[in-house]
Amino acid sequence: MPELPEVESVARTVRSLVRGKTILRCDVIHAIATKPQGPALLRRKAEGQRVEQVERRGKYLIFRLCAGCLVLHFKLDGQLVWFPNRNVAGHVDIALHFEDGALGFVDRRHFGRVLFHRRAEDVPGIAGMGVEPLSREFTPTVLAARLRKSRRPLKLFLLDQTRIAGLGNIYSSEALWRAGLSPRRRAHRVTHAESQRLHKEIVGVLRRALECCLHPAPDFRNPEWWFQGLEKILRVYGREGKSCRRCGGRVRRIDQGGRSTFWCPGCQH
DNA sequence: CCTGCTACCTGATGGC
DNA sequence: TGCCATCAGGTAGCAG
């Protein structure tokens, strides 16, 4: 489910829950979540280790241990649940037990993963990952340079984690709508002024979403809670057939790379 | 190198 | 009600 803002808010919130604490036990309840590694490796490497730091890179959540790190990816449906007093219940794939509670990795669809690596950069997806859009490194010049090098439609360019890290299907549609750019436009054909606009809107939509994700902060104690209420900041995603909030045109849904793109042909060119 | 396509999984929803 | 098709906030791996 989550894109950059959601994972960032999870990282900040779970940090205060587990940083400095020791993983007393690691239960692998559904081994698929450790593929292509095995459950034994994760258990062996995690147990007895203290969580030194919690970080995010793109949509990955990273628990830095004394030796190595746990790398989590939620894919479409993964989430975290905190069980006070270590009373783990429900559909949990992996449970990290601490002294005062257990952190469960939950993913009914089993796309998500919890992996062990010596360094986060050893994860293939992280090794080739692009610029962090909320970092100082992400300037209009950097975006323009990367756009110039790609012939792909803008929507697919924005989804490509090797160019910009952390945008997903929702915020890429939203950023393009805000910038008034068609998702079908080829990246290398975008003008200087347009790429400036796109830069501003990528940062804008992510900041806005992050604020929204932090207020109120994630509540891992409630298994029902997982980023409800974000719809209110969405201007175009999921609005097929409805009228555009800017020009009144009809919002359309098209397929790009096997995923839905929502956009308004009336004001996105 | 770049790009496009499919597999990976399960559950919810809507039409007939 | 049952059945089928479609959709879902993602990425790895492979083919051309």
Side-chain angles (χ1 to χ4, degrees):
Chain A
M1 246 153 84
E3 304 182 24
L4 184 152
E6 289 84 355
V7 182
E8 177 64 24
S9 73
V10 166
R12 292 188 195 184
T13 310
V14 84
R15 185 176 293 145
S16 58
L17 213 47
V18 304
R19 185 167 60 180
K21 294 180 187 170
T22 299
I23 301 170
L24 303 177
R25 205 175 81 228
C26 169
D27 285 341
V28 179
I29 297 144
H30 202 138
I32 194 172
T34 68
K35 275 176 68 169
Q37 303 180 336
L41 177 89
L42 181 68
R43 273 199 298 269
R44 180 157 45 85
K45 297 293 192 177
E47 290 184 349
Q49 293 275 322
R50 194 174 62 218
V51 178
E52 300 289 329
Q53 187 53 280
V54 177
E55 291 159 12
R56 177 194 59 76
R57 179 79 172 95
K59 299 171 198 167
Y60 289 85
L61 182 66
I62 302 163
F63 289 5
R64 220 168 269 293
L65 310 175
C66 306
C69 50
L70 301 185
V71 180
L72 287 70
H73 200 298
F74 301 110
K75 291 286 175 81
L76 293 174
D77 284 348
Q79 68 178 96
L80 294 180
V81 180
W82 179 258
F83 301 96
N85 307 315
R86 304 171 62 178
N87 298 320
V88 176
H91 297 92
V92 176
D93 284 358
I94 289 168
L96 301 175
H97 289 258
F98 299 91
E99 197 166 32
D100 58 339
L103 187 65
F105 181 85
V106 177
D107 184 1
R108 308 180 76 108
R109 203 168 161 188
H110 302 131
F111 275 12
R113 292 292 181 265
V114 179
L115 304 173
F116 174 86
H117 281 277
R118 203 170 66 72
R119 301 169 311 162
E121 315 83 70
D122 294 339
V123 179
I126 294 181
M129 190 164 276
V131 60
E132 281 290 332
L134 292 185
S135 73
R136 244 185 318 210
E137 232 190 299
F138 184 59
T139 60
T141 312
V142 165
L143 175 63
R146 292 182 189 209
L147 284 168
R148 241 179 279 123
K149 283 189 250 173
S150 171
R151 316 181 72 78
R152 311 185 81 187
L154 279 177
K155 170 70 171 354
L156 296 179
F157 171 89
L158 293 180
L159 283 179
D160 185 345
Q161 304 295 300
T162 71
R163 285 154 168 140
I164 302 169
L167 283 169
N169 208 35
I170 290 186
Y171 299 126
S172 53
S173 275
E174 292 292 316
L176 289 169
W177 182 86
R178 283 166 161 244
L181 287 167
S182 164
R184 293 170 154 154
R185 279 280 294 284
R186 301 277 159 175
H188 68 117
R189 319 221 45 164
V190 167
T191 68
H192 183 68
E194 287 168 339
S195 103
Q196 296 258 62
R197 240 159 55 211
L198 183 55
H199 176 272
K200 174 170 172 278
E201 301 303 346
I202 288 169
V203 174
V205 76
L206 292 177
R207 284 215 181 115
R208 175 98 205 280
L210 177 56
E211 276 312 300
C212 199
C213 289
L214 289 170
H215 305 289
D219 178 10
F220 304 121
R221 284 158 202 269
N222 176 7
E224 308 301 311
W225 180 93
W226 193 255
F227 300 110
Q228 309 294 329
L230 277 179
E231 314 79 42
K232 66 176 182 283
I233 66 167
L234 305 182
R235 312 315 294 169
V236 71
Y237 186 87
R239 304 194 70 246
E240 180 183 19
K242 300 197 173 136
S243 71
C244 173
R245 297 204 137 104
R246 183 168 45 214
C247 77
R250 184 163 294 266
V251 172
R252 291 221 290 139
R253 178 164 70 92
I254 57 172
D255 186 284
Q256 288 187 293
R259 330 247 351 245
S260 289
T261 298
F262 296 88
W263 70 297
C264 172
C267 58
Q268 292 180 253
H269 304 287

